[in-house]
Amino acid sequence: MKLLLILPIILPLTTAAVGLLCWRSIRAQQVIGLLGAGGLLAAAGSLLHGVWQNGPMALQLGNWPAPFGITLAADLFSAIMVVLAALMGFTVALYSLATVDPRRVRYGYFCFYHFLLMGVCGVFLTGDLFNMYVWFEVMLMASFVLMALGGEKEQLEGAIKYVTLNLISSAVFLTGLGILYGMSGTLNMAHLATVLPQSEHPFMVTTVAMLFLVAFGIKSAVFPLFFWLPASYHTPPVAVSAIFAGLLTKVGVYSLMRVFTLLFMGDVAYTHTLILIIAGFTMVTGVLGAAAQGEFRRILSFHIISQVGYMIMGLGLFTPLALTGSVFYIMHHIVVKTNLFLVSGVARLLGGSYRLERLGGLSLSAPGLSLLFAVSAFSLAGIPPLSGFWAKLILIIASFKDASYLIAATALLVSLLTLFSMTKIWAAVFWGEPAVAADPQPLSGRRRAALYVPIILLALITVTIGLGTGPILTLAERTADQLIDPRAYIRAVLGSVQ
Amino acid sequence: MELVAAIVVGGLFGAAVYLLLWRTPVKLIIGLVLLSNAINLLIFLAAGLTRGKPPIIPEGSLRAAQAVADPLPQALILTAIVISFGVLAFTLVLFSRTFKTLAATHLDEMKTTDS
Amino acid sequence: MTSVILATATRYLMPMLLLFSAFLLFRGHNLPGGGFIGGLVAAATFILHSLVFGVGETRKILRVRPVKLMGLGLLIAMASGLVGVFTRAPFLTGKWYELVLGQGDKWHVGTPVFFDVGVYLVVIGATLIIILSLAEED
């Protein structure tokens, strides 16, 4: 039973290690990469099932009791994130078979891909802050390599920006960690949650909270710390962009939500209002930035920023309903955003470019793809009855209930502008004259399957979330309850000690 | 002792930020190195400096005879040093490769992915 | 640039350094030492070799790719953690066993030793990947 907690970490590790042993064999690496991702998905699914049935669980590695040893802990939020990571891991691995060139695979694409998944799952499952830092670094190392793998000019330049900013973010994180340890003598999150409220220096706790806000803010690309994202996400191969877009900023959002629901609850009026203000600015700048762009993946990159605003808006409002909205939004966003990147890759294969002005007429040559894009794009913009509509609706109702009309108005406006951006892509890429430069390479049947199956799968999930909102909403509600009242989590980690 | 260490930490942070803002690749890397060292010292300092009392429990007993230095920050720093060693080694390779490929010597020459 | 003294000294030093790295690795079980510094010493040995005889020559005497050392090390370290799981304890729980060798000699074996061996291999692999690829650049 408790094995489930460690599986999402050791499965990708095994996959990557076996991949390293099969260095240079392209076929073997592809098979191992896909099998590993499938296994991870199965493990993540059973983890979520277990947590849903039995409540939060914890595992003390090496049998050293918390708060002294290394703890892995999963409540519903962690489990949901692990499932989403595994789902994206699987679909994008499948997509990688068709889009990542053999040279990159030979240089270990799938190994680093699984190291990345291991880091991501590690962050979601760890129960202590220092290990969260370590997992962040595992994830970053892998993402650095994926970002630069292939060594094209643009890629290297994007990688430099990505690497430098992320290193600085890790540095700020570690600084906050050190001060927190000096103040409280523990880094176990559940233990901190019981110790920090009795701290003699509440203002120091708030200071540390700000350090964490900056560190995770850089990672989740909030205003005004997002500049590395649109400068780098469009440079690597599209499968890498897709997995980064789906998971990496959301790891930052997860960490923000974890520490600002569990640890830093001393001065909610200050910290969470600040988060709400940041959320508003993030939404607006992201969507305005997108409006100015003329490249498919850069538009999508800016939309990631704007969407992160919605996610932390729920955190800033900090009511059960708002947190439900945030969790729902994260689930919806990861699926939809990854899918849009996958679509952009296919459009590039068919039309020969990512530049909007060089694309056109895909609705005639690829009607199926147009439909799949429309599903995801309208969901992103929040058109009923797709998943994005419900996510935004919950958040906006929550902000009305909290009498935060300004943020509600901002969210509505931004959603309108998102629709504008999506129609811009639609008009340029799918309507109009077929591009002159278009020279579609003929796709073999298997390659076509590897391209379209992930996209269709994710589009179906979007539609399912939209039409069958009930169960997902219940899941999000229970998750939010656990976030608001973390006693079950703390009890799972610390045992009878309270 | 604490005061001196605090001033050193502050100085290192200052130097690191100064070098990071200086827009050449080599100084950027040295800045990152200084930054990681500053943080390691900060963790050490924040957890409290204890002099000459190693956290070793005498054989046969279950607890230390006197108050000893906290071993955890040292473990944290050791881990952080190893991580930053790995990350910075990678960064070094990446930077040297990039500046060779782009034939650039200044960070301001790298603006093509920004617009 | 190769000096005769360095080349000759390296030939004699290498076995001793490798032996020393193994010594550090196994001593680390109860005393200062361990997989990490043992691995660094071993990697340094090969780097010394590459300084004298060139990177190509070093890759030849290594026989395996450093990447594979890393993969193997990760698997060994993970397997040592799984021993705990199979004995119904959490992952990474240390387990000790006594192997009885002939004539009443006992060999005390624990899973942490294997974890350290894994770390040792990963450190050798990772360090060599980074430094050899840097050395090959110019």
PDB file of all heavy atoms in Angstrom, chain A residues 230 284-296 298-300 302-303 355-357 417 420-422 424-425, chain B residues 114-115:
ATOM      1  N   PRO A 230       8.636  33.159 -21.901  1.00  0.00           N
ATOM      2  CA  PRO A 230       8.429  33.335 -23.340  1.00  0.00           C
ATOM      3  C   PRO A 230       9.740  33.447 -24.120  1.00  0.00           C
ATOM      4  O   PRO A 230       9.733  33.337 -25.339  1.00  0.00           O
ATOM      5  CB  PRO A 230       7.629  34.634 -23.442  1.00  0.00           C
ATOM      6  CG  PRO A 230       7.812  35.315 -22.154  1.00  0.00           C
ATOM      7  CD  PRO A 230       8.113  34.287 -21.128  1.00  0.00           C
ATOM      8  N   VAL A 284      -3.281  39.776 -16.708  1.00  0.00           N
ATOM      9  CA  VAL A 284      -3.370  40.838 -17.710  1.00  0.00           C
ATOM     10  C   VAL A 284      -2.111  40.893 -18.563  1.00  0.00           C
ATOM     11  O   VAL A 284      -2.180  40.893 -19.804  1.00  0.00           O
ATOM     12  CB  VAL A 284      -3.633  42.192 -17.024  1.00  0.00           C
ATOM     13  CG1 VAL A 284      -3.594  43.305 -18.052  1.00  0.00           C
ATOM     14  CG2 VAL A 284      -4.973  42.157 -16.327  1.00  0.00           C
ATOM     15  N   THR A 285      -0.923  40.916 -17.926  1.00  0.00           N
ATOM     16  CA  THR A 285       0.300  41.028 -18.728  1.00  0.00           C
ATOM     17  C   THR A 285       0.453  39.825 -19.644  1.00  0.00           C
ATOM     18  O   THR A 285       0.879  39.979 -20.791  1.00  0.00           O
ATOM     19  CB  THR A 285       1.552  41.132 -17.841  1.00  0.00           C
ATOM     20  OG1 THR A 285       1.441  40.207 -16.783  1.00  0.00           O
ATOM     21  CG2 THR A 285       1.743  42.518 -17.304  1.00  0.00           C
ATOM     22  N   GLY A 286       0.112  38.641 -19.132  1.00  0.00           N
ATOM     23  CA  GLY A 286       0.252  37.449 -19.967  1.00  0.00           C
ATOM     24  C   GLY A 286      -0.578  37.553 -21.222  1.00  0.00           C
ATOM     25  O   GLY A 286      -0.083  37.344 -22.336  1.00  0.00           O
ATOM     26  N   VAL A 287      -1.821  37.927 -21.047  1.00  0.00           N
ATOM     27  CA  VAL A 287      -2.708  37.919 -22.208  1.00  0.00           C
ATOM     28  C   VAL A 287      -2.373  39.062 -23.165  1.00  0.00           C
ATOM     29  O   VAL A 287      -2.441  38.911 -24.385  1.00  0.00           O
ATOM     30  CB  VAL A 287      -4.189  37.919 -21.758  1.00  0.00           C
ATOM     31  CG1 VAL A 287      -4.687  39.309 -21.493  1.00  0.00           C
ATOM     32  CG2 VAL A 287      -5.052  37.223 -22.777  1.00  0.00           C
ATOM     33  N   LEU A 288      -1.947  40.206 -22.616  1.00  0.00           N
ATOM     34  CA  LEU A 288      -1.549  41.306 -23.501  1.00  0.00           C
ATOM     35  C   LEU A 288      -0.291  40.939 -24.267  1.00  0.00           C
ATOM     36  O   LEU A 288      -0.155  41.236 -25.458  1.00  0.00           O
ATOM     37  CB  LEU A 288      -1.330  42.580 -22.687  1.00  0.00           C
ATOM     38  CG  LEU A 288      -2.595  43.230 -22.128  1.00  0.00           C
ATOM     39  CD1 LEU A 288      -2.247  44.526 -21.416  1.00  0.00           C
ATOM     40  CD2 LEU A 288      -3.600  43.493 -23.238  1.00  0.00           C
ATOM     41  N   GLY A 289       0.644  40.281 -23.577  1.00  0.00           N
ATOM     42  CA  GLY A 289       1.859  39.832 -24.257  1.00  0.00           C
ATOM     43  C   GLY A 289       1.517  38.908 -25.405  1.00  0.00           C
ATOM     44  O   GLY A 289       2.085  39.015 -26.494  1.00  0.00           O
ATOM     45  N   ALA A 290       0.558  38.015 -25.179  1.00  0.00           N
ATOM     46  CA  ALA A 290       0.176  37.067 -26.223  1.00  0.00           C
ATOM     47  C   ALA A 290      -0.398  37.795 -27.422  1.00  0.00           C
ATOM     48  O   ALA A 290      -0.144  37.425 -28.566  1.00  0.00           O
ATOM     49  CB  ALA A 290      -0.833  36.068 -25.671  1.00  0.00           C
ATOM     50  N   ALA A 291      -1.159  38.855 -27.160  1.00  0.00           N
ATOM     51  CA  ALA A 291      -1.812  39.567 -28.259  1.00  0.00           C
ATOM     52  C   ALA A 291      -0.793  40.158 -29.221  1.00  0.00           C
ATOM     53  O   ALA A 291      -1.076  40.359 -30.396  1.00  0.00           O
ATOM     54  CB  ALA A 291      -2.719  40.657 -27.706  1.00  0.00           C
ATOM     55  N   ALA A 292       0.418  40.444 -28.693  1.00  0.00           N
ATOM     56  CA  ALA A 292       1.412  41.107 -29.535  1.00  0.00           C
ATOM     57  C   ALA A 292       2.247  40.129 -30.336  1.00  0.00           C
ATOM     58  O   ALA A 292       3.100  40.541 -31.108  1.00  0.00           O
ATOM     59  CB  ALA A 292       2.328  41.967 -28.661  1.00  0.00           C
ATOM     60  N   GLN A 293       2.032  38.812 -30.152  1.00  0.00           N
ATOM     61  CA  GLN A 293       2.938  37.851 -30.758  1.00  0.00           C
ATOM     62  C   GLN A 293       2.420  37.317 -32.080  1.00  0.00           C
ATOM     63  O   GLN A 293       1.227  37.279 -32.313  1.00  0.00           O
ATOM     64  CB  GLN A 293       3.157  36.662 -29.807  1.00  0.00           C
ATOM     65  CG  GLN A 293       3.738  37.058 -28.482  1.00  0.00           C
ATOM     66  CD  GLN A 293       5.073  37.733 -28.624  1.00  0.00           C
ATOM     67  OE1 GLN A 293       5.894  37.314 -29.447  1.00  0.00           O
ATOM     68  NE2 GLN A 293       5.301  38.775 -27.864  1.00  0.00           N
ATOM     69  N   GLY A 294       3.352  36.881 -32.925  1.00  0.00           N
ATOM     70  CA  GLY A 294       2.966  36.308 -34.205  1.00  0.00           C
ATOM     71  C   GLY A 294       3.524  34.920 -34.426  1.00  0.00           C
ATOM     72  O   GLY A 294       3.656  34.469 -35.546  1.00  0.00           O
ATOM     73  N   GLU A 295       3.891  34.253 -33.327  1.00  0.00           N
ATOM     74  CA  GLU A 295       4.427  32.899 -33.474  1.00  0.00           C
ATOM     75  C   GLU A 295       3.595  31.970 -32.610  1.00  0.00           C
ATOM     76  O   GLU A 295       3.314  32.285 -31.454  1.00  0.00           O
ATOM     77  CB  GLU A 295       5.901  32.902 -33.047  1.00  0.00           C
ATOM     78  CG  GLU A 295       6.737  31.838 -33.709  1.00  0.00           C
ATOM     79  CD  GLU A 295       7.174  30.762 -32.748  1.00  0.00           C
ATOM     80  OE1 GLU A 295       6.414  30.474 -31.814  1.00  0.00           O
ATOM     81  OE2 GLU A 295       8.274  30.218 -32.947  1.00  0.00           O
ATOM     82  N   PHE A 296       3.203  30.848 -33.187  1.00  0.00           N
ATOM     83  CA  PHE A 296       2.270  29.934 -32.528  1.00  0.00           C
ATOM     84  C   PHE A 296       2.693  29.628 -31.090  1.00  0.00           C
ATOM     85  O   PHE A 296       1.954  29.866 -30.120  1.00  0.00           O
ATOM     86  CB  PHE A 296       2.210  28.631 -33.342  1.00  0.00           C
ATOM     87  CG  PHE A 296       0.913  27.890 -33.237  1.00  0.00           C
ATOM     88  CD1 PHE A 296       0.415  27.181 -34.331  1.00  0.00           C
ATOM     89  CD2 PHE A 296       0.189  27.883 -32.055  1.00  0.00           C
ATOM     90  CE1 PHE A 296      -0.781  26.486 -34.252  1.00  0.00           C
ATOM     91  CE2 PHE A 296      -1.006  27.187 -31.963  1.00  0.00           C
ATOM     92  CZ  PHE A 296      -1.479  26.488 -33.067  1.00  0.00           C
ATOM     93  N   ARG A 298       4.930  31.001 -29.160  1.00  0.00           N
ATOM     94  CA  ARG A 298       5.112  32.150 -28.262  1.00  0.00           C
ATOM     95  C   ARG A 298       3.772  32.655 -27.742  1.00  0.00           C
ATOM     96  O   ARG A 298       3.647  33.064 -26.590  1.00  0.00           O
ATOM     97  CB  ARG A 298       5.872  33.271 -28.968  1.00  0.00           C
ATOM     98  CG  ARG A 298       7.365  33.111 -28.869  1.00  0.00           C
ATOM     99  CD  ARG A 298       8.086  34.248 -29.545  1.00  0.00           C
ATOM    100  NE  ARG A 298       7.966  35.506 -28.818  1.00  0.00           N
ATOM    101  CZ  ARG A 298       8.779  35.856 -27.823  1.00  0.00           C
ATOM    102  NH1 ARG A 298       9.741  35.063 -27.447  1.00  0.00           N
ATOM    103  NH2 ARG A 298       8.639  37.003 -27.218  1.00  0.00           N
ATOM    104  N   ILE A 299       2.758  32.630 -28.594  1.00  0.00           N
ATOM    105  CA  ILE A 299       1.417  33.006 -28.132  1.00  0.00           C
ATOM    106  C   ILE A 299       0.998  32.080 -26.996  1.00  0.00           C
ATOM    107  O   ILE A 299       0.561  32.521 -25.928  1.00  0.00           O
ATOM    108  CB  ILE A 299       0.398  32.909 -29.279  1.00  0.00           C
ATOM    109  CG1 ILE A 299       0.764  33.890 -30.387  1.00  0.00           C
ATOM    110  CG2 ILE A 299      -1.015  33.168 -28.771  1.00  0.00           C
ATOM    111  CD1 ILE A 299      -0.200  33.873 -31.538  1.00  0.00           C
ATOM    112  N   LEU A 300       1.191  30.775 -27.228  1.00  0.00           N
ATOM    113  CA  LEU A 300       0.807  29.819 -26.199  1.00  0.00           C
ATOM    114  C   LEU A 300       1.619  30.031 -24.930  1.00  0.00           C
ATOM    115  O   LEU A 300       1.099  29.921 -23.811  1.00  0.00           O
ATOM    116  CB  LEU A 300       0.993  28.395 -26.724  1.00  0.00           C
ATOM    117  CG  LEU A 300       0.101  28.002 -27.903  1.00  0.00           C
ATOM    118  CD1 LEU A 300       0.412  26.592 -28.354  1.00  0.00           C
ATOM    119  CD2 LEU A 300      -1.362  28.117 -27.533  1.00  0.00           C
ATOM    120  N   PHE A 302       2.860  32.813 -23.722  1.00  0.00           N
ATOM    121  CA  PHE A 302       2.321  33.946 -22.960  1.00  0.00           C
ATOM    122  C   PHE A 302       1.009  33.571 -22.290  1.00  0.00           C
ATOM    123  O   PHE A 302       0.691  34.051 -21.204  1.00  0.00           O
ATOM    124  CB  PHE A 302       2.134  35.162 -23.868  1.00  0.00           C
ATOM    125  CG  PHE A 302       3.341  36.037 -23.914  1.00  0.00           C
ATOM    126  CD1 PHE A 302       4.201  36.012 -24.997  1.00  0.00           C
ATOM    127  CD2 PHE A 302       3.643  36.886 -22.859  1.00  0.00           C
ATOM    128  CE1 PHE A 302       5.321  36.817 -25.036  1.00  0.00           C
ATOM    129  CE2 PHE A 302       4.762  37.691 -22.888  1.00  0.00           C
ATOM    130  CZ  PHE A 302       5.600  37.649 -23.980  1.00  0.00           C
ATOM    131  N   HIS A 303       0.230  32.696 -22.943  1.00  0.00           N
ATOM    132  CA  HIS A 303      -1.012  32.283 -22.311  1.00  0.00           C
ATOM    133  C   HIS A 303      -0.779  31.451 -21.064  1.00  0.00           C
ATOM    134  O   HIS A 303      -1.590  31.486 -20.140  1.00  0.00           O
ATOM    135  CB  HIS A 303      -1.902  31.540 -23.302  1.00  0.00           C
ATOM    136  CG  HIS A 303      -2.699  32.483 -24.137  1.00  0.00           C
ATOM    137  ND1 HIS A 303      -3.631  33.320 -23.585  1.00  0.00           N
ATOM    138  CD2 HIS A 303      -2.669  32.758 -25.457  1.00  0.00           C
ATOM    139  CE1 HIS A 303      -4.147  34.053 -24.547  1.00  0.00           C
ATOM    140  NE2 HIS A 303      -3.580  33.740 -25.688  1.00  0.00           N
ATOM    141  N   ARG A 355       5.364  30.382 -37.609  1.00  0.00           N
ATOM    142  CA  ARG A 355       4.942  31.769 -37.782  1.00  0.00           C
ATOM    143  C   ARG A 355       3.527  31.795 -38.343  1.00  0.00           C
ATOM    144  O   ARG A 355       3.223  31.116 -39.320  1.00  0.00           O
ATOM    145  CB  ARG A 355       5.873  32.521 -38.744  1.00  0.00           C
ATOM    146  CG  ARG A 355       7.335  32.439 -38.460  1.00  0.00           C
ATOM    147  CD  ARG A 355       7.812  33.323 -37.354  1.00  0.00           C
ATOM    148  NE  ARG A 355       7.130  34.610 -37.268  1.00  0.00           N
ATOM    149  CZ  ARG A 355       7.304  35.432 -36.239  1.00  0.00           C
ATOM    150  NH1 ARG A 355       8.084  35.096 -35.239  1.00  0.00           N
ATOM    151  NH2 ARG A 355       6.690  36.582 -36.205  1.00  0.00           N
ATOM    152  N   LEU A 356       2.690  32.627 -37.719  1.00  0.00           N
ATOM    153  CA  LEU A 356       1.296  32.645 -38.150  1.00  0.00           C
ATOM    154  C   LEU A 356       1.159  33.071 -39.600  1.00  0.00           C
ATOM    155  O   LEU A 356       0.360  32.538 -40.349  1.00  0.00           O
ATOM    156  CB  LEU A 356       0.481  33.586 -37.255  1.00  0.00           C
ATOM    157  CG  LEU A 356       0.321  33.164 -35.803  1.00  0.00           C
ATOM    158  CD1 LEU A 356      -0.669  34.072 -35.110  1.00  0.00           C
ATOM    159  CD2 LEU A 356      -0.117  31.730 -35.687  1.00  0.00           C
ATOM    160  N   GLU A 357       1.998  34.059 -40.011  1.00  0.00           N
ATOM    161  CA  GLU A 357       1.788  34.581 -41.360  1.00  0.00           C
ATOM    162  C   GLU A 357       2.192  33.564 -42.431  1.00  0.00           C
ATOM    163  O   GLU A 357       1.776  33.669 -43.573  1.00  0.00           O
ATOM    164  CB  GLU A 357       2.537  35.908 -41.549  1.00  0.00           C
ATOM    165  CG  GLU A 357       4.053  35.828 -41.543  1.00  0.00           C
ATOM    166  CD  GLU A 357       4.645  36.034 -40.151  1.00  0.00           C
ATOM    167  OE1 GLU A 357       3.871  35.968 -39.178  1.00  0.00           O
ATOM    168  OE2 GLU A 357       5.864  36.255 -40.047  1.00  0.00           O
ATOM    169  N   LEU A 417     -10.023  38.348 -23.832  1.00  0.00           N
ATOM    170  CA  LEU A 417      -8.815  38.552 -24.633  1.00  0.00           C
ATOM    171  C   LEU A 417      -8.199  37.217 -25.055  1.00  0.00           C
ATOM    172  O   LEU A 417      -7.610  37.113 -26.135  1.00  0.00           O
ATOM    173  CB  LEU A 417      -7.795  39.370 -23.840  1.00  0.00           C
ATOM    174  CG  LEU A 417      -8.152  40.850 -23.693  1.00  0.00           C
ATOM    175  CD1 LEU A 417      -7.231  41.531 -22.696  1.00  0.00           C
ATOM    176  CD2 LEU A 417      -8.066  41.545 -25.033  1.00  0.00           C
ATOM    177  N   PHE A 420      -9.847  36.208 -28.022  1.00  0.00           N
ATOM    178  CA  PHE A 420      -9.316  36.971 -29.155  1.00  0.00           C
ATOM    179  C   PHE A 420      -8.061  36.316 -29.701  1.00  0.00           C
ATOM    180  O   PHE A 420      -7.899  36.112 -30.907  1.00  0.00           O
ATOM    181  CB  PHE A 420      -9.038  38.414 -28.719  1.00  0.00           C
ATOM    182  CG  PHE A 420      -8.089  39.134 -29.631  1.00  0.00           C
ATOM    183  CD1 PHE A 420      -8.494  39.542 -30.890  1.00  0.00           C
ATOM    184  CD2 PHE A 420      -6.786  39.389 -29.232  1.00  0.00           C
ATOM    185  CE1 PHE A 420      -7.614  40.196 -31.735  1.00  0.00           C
ATOM    186  CE2 PHE A 420      -5.903  40.030 -30.069  1.00  0.00           C
ATOM    187  CZ  PHE A 420      -6.322  40.429 -31.328  1.00  0.00           C
ATOM    188  N   SER A 421      -7.138  35.957 -28.776  1.00  0.00           N
ATOM    189  CA  SER A 421      -5.885  35.331 -29.178  1.00  0.00           C
ATOM    190  C   SER A 421      -6.125  34.034 -29.922  1.00  0.00           C
ATOM    191  O   SER A 421      -5.483  33.734 -30.931  1.00  0.00           O
ATOM    192  CB  SER A 421      -5.071  35.012 -27.934  1.00  0.00           C
ATOM    193  OG  SER A 421      -3.940  35.759 -27.885  1.00  0.00           O
ATOM    194  N   MET A 422      -7.059  33.247 -29.385  1.00  0.00           N
ATOM    195  CA  MET A 422      -7.322  31.942 -29.991  1.00  0.00           C
ATOM    196  C   MET A 422      -7.936  32.098 -31.370  1.00  0.00           C
ATOM    197  O   MET A 422      -7.608  31.370 -32.303  1.00  0.00           O
ATOM    198  CB  MET A 422      -8.243  31.116 -29.082  1.00  0.00           C
ATOM    199  CG  MET A 422      -7.578  30.655 -27.808  1.00  0.00           C
ATOM    200  SD  MET A 422      -6.136  29.635 -28.128  1.00  0.00           S
ATOM    201  CE  MET A 422      -4.898  30.476 -27.194  1.00  0.00           C
ATOM    202  N   LYS A 424      -7.395  34.573 -33.261  1.00  0.00           N
ATOM    203  CA  LYS A 424      -6.312  35.043 -34.123  1.00  0.00           C
ATOM    204  C   LYS A 424      -5.561  33.846 -34.708  1.00  0.00           C
ATOM    205  O   LYS A 424      -5.306  33.788 -35.918  1.00  0.00           O
ATOM    206  CB  LYS A 424      -5.354  35.932 -33.314  1.00  0.00           C
ATOM    207  CG  LYS A 424      -4.303  36.607 -34.163  1.00  0.00           C
ATOM    208  CD  LYS A 424      -3.507  37.618 -33.374  1.00  0.00           C
ATOM    209  CE  LYS A 424      -2.335  36.979 -32.684  1.00  0.00           C
ATOM    210  NZ  LYS A 424      -1.484  37.917 -31.967  1.00  0.00           N
ATOM    211  N   ILE A 425      -5.219  32.892 -33.829  1.00  0.00           N
ATOM    212  CA  ILE A 425      -4.536  31.696 -34.324  1.00  0.00           C
ATOM    213  C   ILE A 425      -5.431  30.965 -35.322  1.00  0.00           C
ATOM    214  O   ILE A 425      -4.996  30.549 -36.394  1.00  0.00           O
ATOM    215  CB  ILE A 425      -4.186  30.742 -33.157  1.00  0.00           C
ATOM    216  CG1 ILE A 425      -3.196  31.414 -32.211  1.00  0.00           C
ATOM    217  CG2 ILE A 425      -3.600  29.451 -33.688  1.00  0.00           C
ATOM    218  CD1 ILE A 425      -2.783  30.532 -31.067  1.00  0.00           C
TER     219      ILE A 425
ATOM    220  N   ASP B 114      13.864  36.745 -27.779  1.00  0.00           N
ATOM    221  CA  ASP B 114      12.998  37.564 -26.931  1.00  0.00           C
ATOM    222  C   ASP B 114      11.860  38.210 -27.692  1.00  0.00           C
ATOM    223  O   ASP B 114      10.958  38.779 -27.095  1.00  0.00           O
ATOM    224  CB  ASP B 114      13.821  38.645 -26.229  1.00  0.00           C
ATOM    225  CG  ASP B 114      14.383  38.113 -24.922  1.00  0.00           C
ATOM    226  OD1 ASP B 114      13.700  37.280 -24.313  1.00  0.00           O
ATOM    227  OD2 ASP B 114      15.478  38.507 -24.538  1.00  0.00           O
ATOM    228  N   SER B 115      11.930  38.228 -29.009  1.00  0.00           N
ATOM    229  CA  SER B 115      10.854  38.916 -29.715  1.00  0.00           C
ATOM    230  C   SER B 115      10.413  38.089 -30.914  1.00  0.00           C
ATOM    231  O   SER B 115      11.122  37.212 -31.362  1.00  0.00           O
ATOM    232  CB  SER B 115      11.316  40.279 -30.181  1.00  0.00           C
ATOM    233  OG  SER B 115      12.461  40.120 -30.972  1.00  0.00           O
TER     234      SER B 115
END
